[in-house]
Amino acid sequence: MMSEKILVTGPFGQIGSELVPELQKRYGKENVVALGHRHIPEDYDGVLETGDVRNPEEMSKLFEKYEFTQVYHLASLLSAVGEDKPELAWDVNLNGLRTFLDICKDRDVKLFWASSIAVFGPTSPLDNTPQHTVLEPTSIYGITKVAGELLCQYYHEIYGLDVRGLRYPGLISWKQEAGGGTTDYAVEIFYEAIKKGEYSCFVKEDTKLPMMYMDDAVKGTLMIMDADPEDIKVRMSYNHGALSFTVKELEEAIRKHIPELKVHYEPDKRQKTADSWPDSIDDSAARKDWGWEHKYDLPTMTEEMIKNLRKKFGMD
Ligand code: AKB
């Protein structure tokens, strides 16, 4: 196998914190470079560079130094923080992506880009939202993801760049807390249930969104990057689905393990974004083209989350 050199941007975020160790296991610690920006964990064990994804000169120098063969470009502002800082969201999400599209188009590099269910909006079908449908998002985050997906497709068509992407749903994980997203409640509820037995939820109890356990998200990310280029028929981003539940259903699943759990519902401005996103998505294109399948359902994901968080907080 050709030896790989891998760059991961956003390596200490929710996805990166779990993807980087998997990449290190597969390709060797010395072959995975984490591009840190501001918050770098003191105990990070691996090759580290610091820099700004919006700076093409800085990023080009890194490519000269390491001759990367794969890039996982995860660095992004999420939906809730994007509404507070729309200019920064535009700058980081799109100028960051442009940097890598431009550098990679002239090299033999496979580029992964993280998109989101935020590409959909109130005019997209709500249930089982198809791969190809109306994309009229109302959040700035969603707008950057649609524009980014179109750019990816453009660079593939015009320059032959091997770029691949996933529309992640809300991701649920215990190693690293989510931050700045609309789906963060689905992670926070576990932390608060375990620490305090009580959670105040910022969306209504009947809010239903597509979700996925992080192990499945990491598996899907590696699967799409392993796939034969011929099998990647979508060069925008693939719908990436697993679960779909209301907050009330999640609350009930957690209560099976923590019977005393109390949840209050105090919707805030994030409700509007949640309401504009699909209830569930159709990911049959990913299943057909490159064999995507998920493992975790609501009960097994809930059990894993609670078991691991109890361990993490020394409560088992
Ligand atoms: C968010 O809520 O902003 C993210 C996402 C679904 O892209 N978790």
Side-chain angles (χ1 to χ4, degrees):
M1 193 172 81
M2 184 182 126
S3 80
E4 302 280 352
K5 266 284 182 225
I6 296 169
L7 175 67
V8 183
T9 75
F12 309 119
Q14 200 196 4
I15 305 173
S17 313
E18 306 217 17
L19 182 66
V20 167
E22 284 308 312
L23 291 168
Q24 288 178 327
K25 255 189 247 160
R26 271 186 166 207
Y27 299 109
K29 223 173 248 177
E30 67 287 2
N31 292 319
V32 179
V33 179
L35 180 78
H37 185 43
R38 275 184 309 180
H39 308 292
I40 295 163
E42 276 170 18
D43 58 351
Y44 176 64
D45 182 16
V47 185
L48 177 71
E49 292 281 350
T50 52
D52 189 329
V53 295
R54 294 165 294 179
N55 184 326
E57 286 80 38
E58 239 175 60
M59 294 302 112
S60 295
K61 280 195 192 128
L62 282 185
F63 274 74
E64 272 147 36
K65 179 166 171 191
Y66 293 101
E67 299 188 347
F68 297 116
T69 57
Q70 293 186 36
V71 176
Y72 292 78
H73 179 37
L74 307 175
S76 175
L77 257 68
L78 295 183
S79 55
V81 77
E83 290 309 289
D84 292 337
K85 300 175 184 170
E87 278 161 25
L88 189 65
W90 184 268
D91 191 21
V92 172
N93 294 7
L94 285 172
N95 290 331
L97 175 63
R98 282 291 301 275
T99 303
F100 293 106
L101 290 169
D102 282 331
I103 295 175
C104 295
K105 80 180 195 321
D106 300 322
R107 298 165 193 258
D108 194 10
V109 182
K110 225 187 315 184
L111 173 63
F112 176 84
W113 189 60
S115 187
S116 161
I117 53 160
V119 292
F120 302 115
T123 52
S124 312
L126 191 65
D127 288 310
N128 219 20
T129 311
Q131 174 69 46
H132 300 287
T133 187
V134 179
L135 299 179
E136 292 179 341
T138 47
S139 67
I140 190 73
Y141 173 66
I143 295 169
T144 66
K145 293 297 175 186
V146 174
E149 284 197 12
L150 288 166
L151 277 175
C152 289
Q153 177 173 259
Y154 182 81
Y155 275 68
H156 175 72
E157 294 293 325
I158 303 295
Y159 304 107
L161 175 65
D162 189 354
V163 54
R164 304 162 183 216
L166 292 174
R167 291 173 181 159
Y168 290 116
L171 299 178
I172 301 178
S173 61
W174 57 271
K175 285 188 190 144
Q176 175 71 38
E177 270 192 85
T182 302
T183 59
D184 290 8
Y185 65 83
V187 180
E188 287 173 8
I189 191 171
F190 282 99
Y191 275 77
E192 298 299 294
I194 296 223
K195 289 199 280 196
K196 299 189 199 139
E198 194 161 348
Y199 178 57
S200 170
C201 185
F202 59 78
V203 293
K204 290 188 281 186
E205 64 177 33
D206 60 354
T207 305
K208 185 175 180 185
L209 288 172
M211 298 279 173
M212 184 181 287
Y213 189 46
M214 185 59 85
D215 288 34
D216 276 333
V218 167
K219 181 174 95 173
T221 308
L222 295 172
M223 278 179 81
I224 193 175
M225 286 297 267
D226 284 345
D228 195 314
E230 305 293 299
D231 292 335
I232 305 294
K233 314 276 189 224
V234 173
R235 295 292 179 165
M236 289 183 69
S237 294
Y238 277 93
N239 282 6
H240 194 215
L243 319 172
S244 209
F245 46 75
T246 64
V247 198
K248 192 75 193 166
E249 286 162 343
L250 178 59
E251 177 189 335
E252 275 153 18
I254 298 175
R255 198 169 284 117
K256 293 204 172 102
H257 302 264
I258 306 176
E260 66 280 13
L261 172 66
K262 283 199 192 69
V263 182
H264 317 279
Y265 290 91
E266 288 163 24
D268 67 15
K269 61 183 182 184
R270 287 169 279 189
Q271 183 72 51
K272 182 170 170 270
T273 301
D275 288 343
S276 75
W277 290 352
D279 281 5
S280 60
I281 54 169
D282 173 2
D283 62 355
S284 51
R287 292 179 191 263
K288 179 165 147 283
D289 292 355
W290 44 273
W292 163 240
E293 46 187 353
H294 69 281
K295 178 171 166 199
Y296 291 90
D297 59 12
L298 178 57
T300 50
M301 180 271 287
T302 304
E303 200 180 316
E304 283 296 301
M305 281 295 288
I306 290 177
K307 187 179 80 194
N308 286 307
L309 281 174
R310 280 191 172 135
K311 240 188 252 162
K312 180 170 168 171
F313 295 125
M315 292 160 80
D316 57 343

